[in-house]
Every structure is written in structure tokens, then in C-alpha cells.
């Protein structure tokens, strides 16, 4: 069994800067692309595991992602042990395998009718404009608070049709769910209490909201979800509530952090910013992909081996946990030329920012890209003098979360 | 109402833990959670208090430092110990109310999973098919 002296499963490792972690990943990619580490530190219950395989090369991450029969999601996707019912109530189809995974995805996809998607584009454009108005009016403050936090929350909940008065509270609960390991988020509370309380709160909102739309349909995604029918199957209220939790977490945090980190990157790469602004419509496509590679908002997911197998020559036993390091895949020198440089014209850009491919590829990728495009356009054209300071990151292995980032418009 | 009376609840729900304490490996792990768990049932009303530290089952919390209390109908409790109730969803629906540290319950979660089959097996062995869900 391969062991390493650098444990990427220590909480301390995830408190280090991204660039320092990348040094470790670069070494692992070169010397030990599939390596064994002790169980992840932290978490809400004691781990019954001896450890986890850590996969650092792009090709191996893709291989695992694209072979769900060999590496399943149904036994959880986080690096920490989580009780089964908590997983079921919070991860929806993210932590499911075929055939139920496919069915639920199809049901949810069917709610995104062409009419909803067209409406969504107009909504996002108007929201990005309004948020930029607010930024210009404020002049300075916290970029996360003023901009990047607001757009995804607004987009996701407006798309669903959630009452505006509940949006802020729901987003706050989603933040607590992701930040349960970070003392800055939870204070003196126990991680398990924080996680469960936030989850139950989101489930309550989701259940009540689904119920409301069954009796009072509207022109929104939640109405489409409660009415969705595929192959004679429908979503139960429990299914919808769990999907509401998934969407609240996956839809809020990921795009928020990409927007923060993309804006930070543009602030530090004036020539790239000028290049993008010079021909925005033609260049935003490749730029968006590079922002996502650069940010890697979701840094990890996990799979479980369904049988004895091998990965990059390393034997893996049935039941072993396999951790996918997207942040490492996105800097893999075997795939990306000058991987540590921001290049908004990079093409092709097979980044793993939406996962490593396969059936769990991010379903909301098109929504995320729309938001990045619209907010970047607004900021470049209406706040070209925007300056941002250094981001403060949340400690954790899952989402690369920027908690604060000072900003000023001159 | 699945259970006949409070004694019936205590016999079967309490019995889950009495059986678990007989298994040395499981008993050690249960003790390590450091939890005194109180289950307050209604329909029929019954208290089942499990002291995982001292490995004893009681019908009242008197004199015990309860770490977490779960309140639910006996019917929900019966389904819960067969692995048929999702705790966070049941909490969101108000079917289960929790007082105290949920964190303690989460420590118990991986062990609870091992208790479900023995509970179902006991019900079947006693001919209590009415309780199997």
C-alpha cells in the first residue's frame, strides 16, 4: 500500500493557501497519483474507515467519474462519514446510482422547459444589472456581500419561485451546511448540530414550498417539479425537499465563489482583463471555462469502489473510498499547458470544474455560465475601475469558499 | 396503534438495546458514544431511556443525565428502529422532535444501522408481524 508523508486529509492542509496545496498535489501527481491517506479530520461522526485513496491526475479522475458501475456515488460523495438518512435528505441524486439517479435527473431536467430557460436568461441579465447598480451605489464594501453572494442566491430562488422574503434565510442555511467544519462559520456550536439544524430548516422550506405550489401553481420551476412526470413516475415531496437542499447548496456556493475568484483574477491580470473587454461577446466563452478551471469551486468529491479493481496500477479493494481532487486535475501539467497561468483564451479547456464527466456532470452548468457571463459583462462595462483586495477563505475540503473580499469602485 | 401498551413499547424498543449490550463489540461502541438517550413516545405514552454509558434501559429519566431526547409516536418509533424513517425529514415534518444534542445522535447513527436487523428479527421471532413495516 502506498503511503505519503503529506496527509491531505488533515484539516490543517485545507487551511493552507490554494497554491501551497497545489505544491503537494503536483508532487502526488508526479510520484504517487493514487495515494492512501488517513480518514478526513473533522466531520460530524467518528469515521469507521482506515483511510481513503486520493486521486490527483486528470485522467484518473475522469476514469473514476465516467465509470459509475465500478465507482459508485450511492455510498456518499463527501470525504467525511455522514449518516445515511442525512445523505439521502441532503444530496438528492448527487449521491445516487442508476437507475434511480437517472430517473430523478430526468424528472428534474423535464422541469427546465425551453420556456423556463428563456425566462431564466432574462432574469439573470436583470439581476446582474440590479446588483451592479447596488455596487456602484455602495462604492465600496465586501464584494461577496455586495455582488457574488447575491446573484446565485437570487438566480436559484427566483428560478424556483421561492418567496423573496425567504431567500436570504434559505441561503444562510445553505452556507451553514457547507461551513460546518469552519469555526468562523459555526462559532461554539457542534458541527453535527449546525449541519442538522441547517438541513432540517432547508427541508422545512422545501416541503412547505412544494406543498404551496401543488395548491397554487405558478410559472416557475417548483411548479414544474411538482408536476413533473417521466415514465409514469413523479417526484415525491421528500424527493423535492432533498433536491431543494441540493440546489440551495450546489447552486449558491459554487457560482458565488467562481464569481469572486474570477473577479479577483481579472483584478490581478490587467492584460487579460483588457483582452476580454476588447471583444467580450467572442471571448467570454473561453474566458468562462478558464474562470471555472482557475477557481475550481468544488475541490473534491468521493466515490466508493463497487468491486476489487485497479486505478493507475494501484489495486483498490471493493468498498474502498476514492477521493477525487478536482483542484489537482485542473492543474495537471499532462493536460494543461502552463497550468498555473490564467489564460482566458485557453482552448480546448477540459477542466473538471463541473466534475470529471460521466453521469454526475453538473446539471446546472449552463445556469452557472449564464451568471458568470452576465455579471462579468456588467462589471467590465459599468465598473471598469473595480478593485478587489485579498479573499478570506473558509476552511474545508469541499467548496473553495471565499467568505469576504474587500472591494472599491473608484 | 401498533403497540398494545407502554410495556409492549418498553419490551421491544428497550429490548433492542438490551440485545445490543449482549454483543461485546457493539456494547463497547455504544458506550463510547457517551450518550443517555431518552425516547418519549405517545400513542401509547411510554418513556424508554437508554443509558449507553452504563448499558441499562429505564422507563423514566429520573436520576439520569439525558443527553438527547427524541419525541415521536410509538408508530414512528417502531418504523425508525427498522430503518424506515429518515430522521432529518421526520424532524422537518414535525414527526420527530429532538431536544438536546443532535450531535450525540449522529454519533449513534452508524451503530443504529446495525440494530435494525436484530429488531426486525426479534419481532418476527415473537410472531409480531403486525409491527414489521
Amino acid at each position: 500500500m502506498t503511503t505519503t508523508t503529506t496527509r491531505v486529509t488533515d484539516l490543517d492542509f485545507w487551511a493552507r493557501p490554494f497554491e501551497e496545496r497545489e505544491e503537494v498535489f503536483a508532487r502526488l501527481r508526479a510520484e504517487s497519483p493514487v495515494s492512501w491517506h488517513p480518514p478526513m479530520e473533522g466531520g460530524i461522526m467518528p469515521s469507521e474507515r482506515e483511510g481513503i485513496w486520493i486521486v490527483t491526475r486528470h485522467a484518473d479522475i475522469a476514469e473514476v467519474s465516467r465509470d459509475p458501475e465500478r465507482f459508485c456515488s450511492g455510498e456518499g460523495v463527501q470525504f467525511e462519514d455522514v449518516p445515511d438518512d442525512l445523505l439521502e435528505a441532503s444530496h438528492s441524486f448527487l449521491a445516487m446510482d442508476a437507475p434511480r439517479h437517472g430517473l430523478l435527473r430526468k424528472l428534474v431536467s423535464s422541469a427546465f422547459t425551453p420556456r423556463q430557460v428563456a425566462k431564466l436568461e432574462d432574469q439573470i441579465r436583470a439581476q446582474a444589472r440590479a446588483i451592479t447598480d447596488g455596487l456602484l451605489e455602495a462604492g465600496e464594501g465586501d464584494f461577496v456581500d455586495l455582488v457574488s453572494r447575491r446573484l446565485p442566491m437570487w438566480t436559484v430562488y427566483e428560478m424556483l419561485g421561492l418567496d423573496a422574503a425567504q431567500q436570504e434565510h434559505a441561503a444562510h442555511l445553505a452556507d451553514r451546511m457547507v461551513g460546518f467544519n469552519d469555526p468562523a462559520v459555526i462559532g461554539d456550536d457542534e458541527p453535527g448540530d449546525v449541519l442538522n439544524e441547517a438541513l432540517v430548516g432547508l427541508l422545512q422550506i422545501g416541503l412547505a414550498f412544494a406543498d404551496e405550489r401543488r395548491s397554487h401553481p405558478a410559472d416557475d420551476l417548483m411548479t414544474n417539479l411538482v408536476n413533473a412526470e417521466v415514465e409514469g413516475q413523479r417526484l415525491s415531496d421528500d424527493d423535492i425537499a432533498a433536491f431543494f437542499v441540493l440546489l440551495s447548496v450546489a447552486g449558491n456556493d459554487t457560482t458565488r465563489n467562481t464569481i469572486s475568484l474570477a473577479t479577483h483574477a481579472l483584478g490581478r491580470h490587467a492584460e487579460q482583463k483588457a483582452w476580454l473587454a476588447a471583444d467580450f461577446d467572442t471571448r467570454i466563452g473561453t474566458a468562462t471555462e478558464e474562470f471555472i478551471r482557475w477557481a475550481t469551486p468544488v475541490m473534491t468529491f468521493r466515490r466508493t469502489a463497487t468491486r476489487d479493481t485497479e486505478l493507475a496500477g494501484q489495486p483498490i479493494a471493493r468498498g474502498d473510498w476514492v477521493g477525487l481532487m478536482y483542484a489537482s486535475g485542473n492543474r495537471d501539467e499532462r493536460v494543461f499547458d502552463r497550468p498555473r497561468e490564467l489564460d482566458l483564451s485557453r482552448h480546448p479547456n477540459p477542466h473538471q470544474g463541473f466534475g470529471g464527466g460521466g453521469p454526475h456532470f453538473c446539471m446546472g452548468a449552463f445556469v452557472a455560465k449564464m451568471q458568470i457571463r452576465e455579471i462579468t459583462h456588467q462589471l467590465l462595462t459599468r465598473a471598469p475601475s473595480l478593485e478587489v483586495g485579498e479573499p478570506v477563505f473558509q476552511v474545508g475540503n469541499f467548496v473553495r469558499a471565499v467568505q469576504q473580499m474587500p472591494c472599491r469602485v473608484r | 396503534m401498533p403497540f398494545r401498551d407502554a410495556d409492549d413499547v418498553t419490551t421491544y424498543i428497550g429490548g433492542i438495546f438490551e440485545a445490543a449490550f449482549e454483543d461485546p463489540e457493539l456494547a463497547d461502541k455504544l458506550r463510547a458514544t457517551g450518550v443517555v438517550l431518552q425516547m418519549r413516545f405517545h400513542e401509547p405514552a411510554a418513556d424508554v431511556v437508554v443509558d449507553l454509558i452504563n448499558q441499562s434501559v429505564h422507563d423514566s429519566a429520573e436520576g439520569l443525565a439525558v443527553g438527547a431526547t427524541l419525541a415521536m409516536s410509538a408508530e414512528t418509533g417502531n418504523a425508525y428502529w427498522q430503518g424506515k424513517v429518515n430522521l432529518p425529514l421526520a424532524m422537518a415534518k414535525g414527526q420527530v422532535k429532538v431536544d438536546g444534542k443532535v450531535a450525540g445522535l449522529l454519533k449513534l447513527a452508524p451503530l443504529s444501522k446495525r440494530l435494525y436487523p436484530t429488531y426486525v428479527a426479534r419481532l418476527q421471532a415473537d410472531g409480531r408481524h403486525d409491527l414489521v413495516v
Side-chain angles (χ1 to χ4, degrees):
Chain A
M1 199 171 277
T2 315
T3 53
T4 72
T5 49
T6 309
R7 297 154 54 130
V8 305
T9 43
D10 289 350
L11 261 187
D12 168 61
F13 177 77
W14 296 96
R16 293 191 217 166
F18 187 88
E19 296 70 23
E20 269 185 43
R21 292 200 295 265
E22 164 52 18
E23 294 299 329
V24 174
F25 289 140
R27 206 160 59 236
L28 288 173
R29 285 195 301 270
E31 297 165 7
S32 187
V34 179
S35 56
W36 182 253
H37 297 251
M40 186 66 214
E41 231 184 6
I44 56 169
M45 57 196 248
S47 179
E48 296 207 314
R49 301 256 138 200
E50 285 175 27
I52 179 168
W53 294 108
I54 295 296
V55 183
T56 47
R57 280 188 190 166
H58 187 283
D60 300 329
I61 294 170
E63 182 180 334
V64 171
S65 306
R66 287 167 191 178
D67 195 347
E69 282 181 22
R70 200 156 51 112
F71 299 102
C72 72
S73 296
E75 292 183 35
V77 292
Q78 307 284 297
F79 278 31
E80 296 89 354
D81 284 83
V82 174
D84 290 350
D85 49 359
L86 207 136
L87 186 72
E88 193 185 315
S90 60
H91 283 60
S92 183
F93 50 73
L94 189 65
M96 282 179 198
D97 298 308
R100 192 159 157 70
H101 166 260
L103 175 68
L104 280 195
R105 245 181 106 114
K106 267 190 214 160
L107 277 162
V108 170
S109 294
S110 74
F112 283 91
T113 56
R115 178 181 158 71
Q116 281 299 328
V117 174
K119 200 173 123 188
L120 187 60
E121 201 155 12
D122 293 341
Q123 266 173 10
I124 292 173
R125 191 163 297 134
Q127 289 162 353
R129 195 179 307 123
I131 287 168
T132 309
D133 288 344
L135 171 72
L136 293 171
E137 200 176 309
E140 63 181 331
D142 176 20
F143 184 80
V144 177
D145 236 12
L146 286 168
V147 180
S148 56
R149 200 175 148 275
R150 295 188 63 205
L151 182 60
M153 174 182 80
W154 203 358
T155 300
V156 163
Y157 290 141
E158 189 84 17
M159 165 180 94
L160 276 167
L162 184 68
D163 186 17
Q166 285 188 297
Q167 294 182 4
E168 190 76 36
H169 179 54
H172 170 71
L173 292 173
D175 281 353
R176 307 255 307 161
M177 274 197 69
V178 175
F180 72 88
N181 257 333
D182 187 339
V185 175
I186 67 170
D188 292 332
D189 295 337
E190 282 209 41
D193 288 339
V194 171
L195 182 58
N196 190 69
E197 200 184 307
L199 171 58
V200 171
L202 279 174
L203 289 170
Q204 279 171 335
I205 297 172
L207 286 166
F209 184 22
D211 199 43
E212 164 72 19
R213 281 298 179 264
R214 280 192 207 285
S215 49
H216 298 96
D219 182 15
D220 58 30
L221 190 68
M222 183 54 94
T223 304
N224 292 358
L225 285 172
V226 298
N227 292 327
E229 190 173 334
V230 170
E231 296 156 21
Q233 306 271 339
R234 300 173 75 101
L235 294 162
S236 69
D237 280 3
D238 289 4
D239 292 334
I240 293 175
F243 177 66
F244 179 78
V245 177
L246 171 64
L247 196 57
S248 293
V249 173
N252 262 316
D253 229 1
T254 49
T255 317
R256 174 198 313 173
N257 297 312
T258 308
I259 292 170
S260 296
L261 293 164
T263 307
H264 181 262
L266 288 178
R268 298 295 178 275
H269 298 84
E271 74 302 341
Q272 298 269 313
K273 184 176 168 181
W275 178 84
L276 176 58
D279 187 1
F280 184 85
D281 287 343
T282 314
R283 295 173 177 176
I284 187 61
T286 58
T288 301
E289 301 299 335
E290 181 69 346
F291 287 144
I292 295 161
R293 183 189 79 88
W294 189 249
T296 312
V298 175
M299 299 186 288
T300 61
F301 264 132
R302 193 247 303 167
R303 300 288 188 265
T304 303
T306 59
R307 55 175 186 258
D308 290 349
T309 184
E310 213 175 82
L311 184 66
Q314 174 65 56
I316 309 251
R318 177 171 178 242
D320 278 0
W321 282 13
V322 178
L324 307 175
M325 292 291 175
Y326 302 125
S328 174
N330 281 344
R331 295 290 182 276
D332 190 341
E333 41 290 283
R334 287 153 200 80
V335 175
F336 300 102
D337 184 28
R338 299 164 290 111
R340 295 184 192 189
E341 281 177 32
L342 180 80
D343 177 1
L344 299 183
S345 69
R346 191 182 290 280
H347 185 79
N349 190 343
H351 65 78
Q352 298 179 319
F354 293 121
H360 289 278
F361 185 84
C362 176
M363 207 179 157
F366 75 100
V367 184
K369 288 182 190 178
M370 269 186 211
Q371 293 178 76
I372 294 165
R373 176 194 173 95
E374 293 305 327
I375 196 68
T376 306
H377 183 252
Q378 285 289 320
L379 295 177
L380 283 180
T381 52
R382 298 181 56 212
S385 65
L386 172 70
E387 288 174 358
V388 295
E390 287 310 305
V392 176
F393 288 97
Q394 181 177 295
V395 178
N397 69 70
F398 178 42
V399 170
R400 191 175 172 210
V402 177
Q403 286 172 322
Q404 290 149 30
M405 187 167 73
C407 74
R408 190 162 63 109
V409 187
R410 272 184 285 127
Chain B
M1 200 157 81
F3 289 105
R4 291 166 191 151
D5 52 31
D7 280 350
D8 207 24
V9 177
T10 313
T11 303
Y12 285 102
I13 304 283
I16 298 170
F17 290 91
E18 281 161 348
F21 296 150
E22 300 292 315
D23 174 338
E25 191 214 333
L26 200 49
D28 281 351
K29 288 188 171 171
L30 288 169
R31 189 180 294 111
T33 63
V35 175
V36 175
L37 172 67
Q38 178 179 30
M39 288 172 275
R40 308 204 77 162
F41 297 108
H42 52 89
E43 298 168 81
D47 254 12
V48 177
V49 186
V50 187
D51 181 345
L52 296 173
I53 308 157
N54 295 303
Q55 316 250 290
S56 52
V57 178
H58 309 260
D59 59 9
S60 137
E62 215 177 300
L64 294 166
V66 172
T69 301
L70 286 172
M72 63 187 106
S73 71
E75 187 176 2
T76 302
N78 176 51
Y80 177 74
W81 288 109
Q82 295 180 49
K84 299 290 167 67
V85 173
N86 182 299
L87 190 59
L89 271 163
M91 286 173 75
K93 291 172 186 168
Q95 293 165 345
V96 176
K97 292 191 171 58
V98 178
D99 264 339
K101 290 281 181 197
V102 176
L105 292 176
L106 295 174
K107 282 180 196 153
L108 191 59
L111 302 172
S112 299
K113 212 161 63 172
R114 293 172 59 177
L115 304 178
Y116 306 150
T118 54
Y119 179 51
V120 177
R122 163 103 195 262
L123 293 174
Q124 276 163 344
D126 285 6
R128 292 300 300 271
H129 303 292
D130 57 319
L131 289 174
V132 177
V133 289

